[in-house]
Amino acid sequence: MNREIEMDNRRTCDLMQNALDILTEGSRTADFRREFQYDELEQAAIQEALGIAMDFPSRQREAWEFMASLRTDMSEQLEQLDAPPLRFPSYETFLGLLCTKTVGWTP
């Protein structure tokens, strides 16, 4: 089960790392979020976490914590580039999304 979570999370990590690579190589603009598709990255991360939590209900907290730690790590790297951080819902909001089976999140 841990291996399945790691494989799902690896794909999200790769998406986020690709965004960081583009950010460091590309020119800077006033609207990082739109240009570097922050919304899509954030949605992909939350959808992965929700999918894992729905597939493995006993691991809901672990799925959220893993995605939250990825967001924190990536946001720290973005901060060093003077870019805005990634957003992620609180655990309470995450549980609400699970209860309503909502697969998207808007901050």
Side-chain angles (χ1 to χ4, degrees), residues 20 23 38 74-86:
L20 283 174
L23 182 60
Y38 273 49
M74 293 293 177
S75 291
E76 287 173 359
Q77 292 178 44
L78 289 167
E79 183 180 344
Q80 293 174 2
L81 300 168
D82 295 325
L86 295 170

Side-chain angles (χ1 to χ4, degrees), residues 86-104:
L86 295 170
R87 299 171 298 188
F88 198 76
S90 67
Y91 183 63
E92 293 75 20
T93 300
F94 179 78
L95 291 178
L97 294 170
L98 280 172
C99 289
T100 62
K101 302 210 183 317
T102 303
V103 291

